[in-house]
């Protein structure tokens, strides 16, 4: 174990004011090590997506601190935070969130361009798409892909950033259980190959059981002690 990659300390995210305040996160303490593989479990509205957003620096907490490699994110300037989102942290959004007018190849190439990832041929867009089993679908638009294929493009796109931390929001949520299982196997194989830390928000206890740790959220709090799978 190389040490803490990301950490939340007493993180609160509150929306609204006065009586109407919703605490999406209500005092979260969580450390993501390198390498690590963590499932975020919990009912709809328990705070899983908010926690991913906070870890990724997309949402600033109302209270507490989020650290990246021991440094509070709030102390990073905008350029440093942008660089972190470009290289350090990648997202796989629920349903893929691909650019609809770009092909599979272009979606991945665009991410590689934005993150200015170096020219490692193993991480070239076509190589990444081959890695996720889509060598024959480079020219397909998202509308011409199945749900599982689109999810795999989204994974290839995230890998094009060469992330140290990969955040996945319900990566198997829209998929049948066999396809979901294959997406998860793929994530695990890629994690072995590339060594990123993996955090997966999921409703699915079977998904969570396969990952190294499970963190159960309830009303924005960590409910259960972390259980080794
Ligand atoms: N931008 C926002 N403004 C106001 N309330 C919000 C906002 N984002 C999230 N919330 C609220 O915060 C709580 C946590 O939401 P979050 O999206 O993190 O839940 P979740 O666990 O990801 O749920 P799901 O399983 O349905 O995706 C919910 O009560 C939600 O309504
Ligand atoms: Mg969510």
């Amino acid at each position: 174990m190389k040490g803490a990659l990301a950490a939340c300390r007493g993180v609160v995210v509150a929306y609204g004011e006065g009586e109407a305040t919703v605490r999406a996160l209500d005092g979260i303490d969580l450390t993501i090590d390198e390498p690590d593989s963590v499932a975020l479990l919990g009912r709809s509205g328990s705070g899983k997506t908010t926690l991913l957003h906070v870890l990724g620096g997309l949402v600033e907490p109302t209270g507490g601190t989020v650290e990246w490699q021991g440094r509070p994110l709030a102390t990073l300037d905008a350029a440093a935070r942008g660089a972190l989102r470009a290289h350090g942290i990648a997202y796989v959004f629920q349903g893929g969130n691909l650019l609809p007018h770009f092909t599979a190849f272009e979606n991945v190439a665009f991410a590689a361009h934005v993150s200015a990832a170096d020219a490692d041929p193993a991480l070239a867009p076509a190589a990444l798409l081959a890695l996720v089993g889509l060598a024959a679908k480079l020219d397909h638009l998202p509308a011409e892909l199945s749900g599982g294929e689109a999810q795999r493009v989204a994974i290839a796109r995230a890998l094009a950033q060469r992330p140290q931390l990969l955040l996945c929001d319900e990566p198997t949520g829209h998929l049948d259980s066999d396809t979901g299982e294959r997406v998860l196997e793929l994530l695990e194989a890629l994690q072995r190959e590339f060594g990123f830390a993996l955090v997966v928000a999921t409703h699915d206890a079977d998904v969570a059981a396969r990952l190294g740790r499970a963190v159960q959220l309830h009303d924005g709090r960590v409910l259960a002690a972390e259980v080794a799978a």
Side-chain angles (χ1 to χ4, degrees), residues 22-149:
V22 172
R23 286 187 166 229
L25 299 179
D26 195 10
I28 297 281
D29 293 305
L30 178 68
T31 301
I32 310 294
D33 293 313
E34 186 181 19
D36 211 345
S37 100
V38 181
L40 300 180
L41 273 165
R43 281 200 207 143
S44 180
S46 58
K48 304 181 295 297
T49 295
T50 309
L51 184 49
L52 290 182
H53 284 171
V54 156
L55 279 169
L58 297 178
V59 166
E60 209 159 323
T62 319
T65 50
V66 180
E67 293 175 4
W68 177 258
Q69 294 178 328
R71 293 178 63 196
L73 278 189
T75 66
L76 302 182
D77 63 19
R81 255 192 267 191
L84 181 58
R85 284 197 293 264
H87 311 292
I89 300 170
Y91 264 90
V92 177
F93 292 93
Q94 184 162 8
N97 230 10
L98 301 175
L99 298 167
H101 302 299
F102 290 85
T103 64
F105 178 88
E106 289 164 345
N107 266 278
V108 178
F110 183 69
H113 179 71
V114 168
S115 74
D118 63 29
D120 180 345
L123 293 164
L128 285 172
L129 284 161
L131 208 59
V132 299
L134 292 176
K137 307 263 165 114
L138 302 188
D139 296 329
H140 283 230
L141 293 168
E144 298 165 343
L145 297 168
S146 73
E149 288 169 347

Side-chain angles (χ1 to χ4, degrees), residues 95-199:
N97 230 10
L98 301 175
L99 298 167
H101 302 299
F102 290 85
T103 64
F105 178 88
E106 289 164 345
N107 266 278
V108 178
F110 183 69
H113 179 71
V114 168
S115 74
D118 63 29
D120 180 345
L123 293 164
L128 285 172
L129 284 161
L131 208 59
V132 299
L134 292 176
K137 307 263 165 114
L138 302 188
D139 296 329
H140 283 230
L141 293 168
E144 298 165 343
L145 297 168
S146 73
E149 288 169 347
Q151 199 62 269
R152 284 186 275 149
V153 176
I155 291 168
R157 179 176 63 176
L159 291 177
Q161 293 176 241
R162 307 179 50 119
Q164 291 166 276
L165 174 60
L166 182 61
L167 304 171
C168 299
D169 200 351
E170 308 275 1
T172 62
H174 284 320
L175 307 177
D176 65 73
S177 57
D178 281 353
T179 311
E181 170 104 13
R182 281 203 293 278
V183 166
L184 204 68
E185 280 168 6
L186 175 67
L187 279 173
E188 289 168 338
L190 293 170
Q191 191 188 24
R192 280 194 295 277
E193 183 162 348
F194 293 104
F196 49 78
L198 180 63
V199 180

